[in-house]
Amino acid sequence: MAEPAASHMLDTVPPVLRDDIEEVLVDEARIQARLDELAAEIDRDYAGHDVLLIGVLKGAILLMADLTRRLTINSSIDFMAVSSYGSATSSSGTVRILKDLDAAIEGLHVLIVEDIVDSGLTLDYLMKNLRSRRPASLEVVALLTKPTRREVDIPVRYVGFEVPDVFVVGYGLDYAERYRSVRSIVTLKPEVYGG
Ligand code: IMP
């Protein structure tokens, strides 16, 4: 049985969502501390270059905001939206572009900003698609990865945390469009999915 979430960690969770949370997997302080490290690494690796951060909507919005304001290198941002799971909790394997980039990326150093790499199918599709647009370089930063779920091998250069094979929400990640504003990565009680 999972431990109930420590109540102080949920102080900033909207009260209507608080009772749905089963466990805090990665709390806000750990996320923010890890982002300091990742930003420092990215600063070092891209020193002397501009970088274009491409956020994958909607899950990556908090990571995008927190990462971009930590970088000391010059960065610009753009977004893509691809088809998501809807309210299901596993991938259909089919990826569609719902919103494309605003501008060309040829010759640019591109860093894809993704919330979580699960099967890897979304990222596999995105990387092939973006590589065909001839960026100078193409790398990935993902807050979370679920290595045991991987169906395709994806080179994710910057990873925040590995999580087990459980459905997680918070810090941008949703279930049926809820819980994105929760500042920690959490799991939900089974009855939330059960209906
Ligand atoms: P993949 O194609 O299976 O790697 O799935 C990638 C996308 O599925 C992520 O960008 C998320 O939007 C969504 N996803 C995968 N696992 C989870 C989860 O545990 N919680 C919320 N969304 C998830």
Side-chain angles (χ1 to χ4, degrees):
M1 264 286 269
E3 287 292 311
S7 60
H8 74 276
M9 287 177 181
L10 303 180
D11 283 352
T12 59
V13 176
V16 290
L17 303 180
R18 208 171 289 162
D19 283 350
D20 294 350
I21 292 173
E22 180 163 82
E23 191 187 4
V24 176
L25 284 190
V26 190
D27 69 36
E28 183 181 2
R30 280 181 70 205
I31 294 174
Q32 296 301 325
R34 183 73 184 116
L35 292 187
D36 286 341
E37 295 174 350
L38 288 178
E41 241 182 272
I42 293 168
D43 272 343
R44 256 197 323 273
D45 293 349
Y46 290 85
H49 298 285
D50 292 353
V51 63
L52 171 67
L53 305 176
I54 297 181
V56 185
L57 293 170
K58 300 170 195 170
I61 51 157
L62 299 195
L63 176 59
M64 186 71 142
D66 282 346
L67 193 60
T68 189
R69 68 181 131 182
R70 277 175 166 80
L71 295 177
T72 59
I73 52 168
N74 195 25
S75 64
S76 48
I77 63 173
D78 204 342
F79 290 94
M80 282 182 88
V82 294
S83 53
S84 71
Y85 300 174
S87 58
T89 57
S90 67
S91 180
S92 62
T94 317
V95 181
R96 273 183 311 131
I97 294 183
L98 305 176
K99 182 224 171 286
D100 208 339
L101 299 173
D102 289 343
I105 59 170
E106 187 168 354
L108 303 182
H109 292 287
V110 171
L111 190 51
I112 300 175
V113 180
E114 177 65 297
D115 51 4
I116 185 167
V117 188
D118 187 22
S119 69
L121 293 169
T122 307
L123 211 46
D124 187 49
Y125 171 84
L126 264 182
M127 290 193 80
K128 285 181 180 141
N129 182 292
L130 292 178
R131 218 175 263 128
S132 74
R133 307 183 198 193
R134 301 171 162 277
S137 66
L138 183 64
E139 300 290 350
V140 179
V141 52
L143 180 72
L144 303 173
T145 176
K146 284 184 194 168
T148 57
R149 297 260 308 169
R150 202 72 89 250
E151 288 176 33
V152 273
D153 193 25
I154 299 285
V156 183
R157 175 117 178 218
Y158 308 97
V159 175
F161 302 94
E162 287 190 1
V163 289
D165 179 11
V166 287
F167 196 78
V168 295
V169 298
Y171 200 75
L173 290 151
D174 76 308
Y175 171 63
E177 291 303 325
R178 287 158 69 92
Y179 314 102
R180 291 193 198 275
S181 63
V182 174
R183 298 185 193 192
S184 302
I185 296 295
V186 304
T187 57
L188 298 174
K189 293 176 182 165
E191 56 265 33
V192 177
Y193 307 111

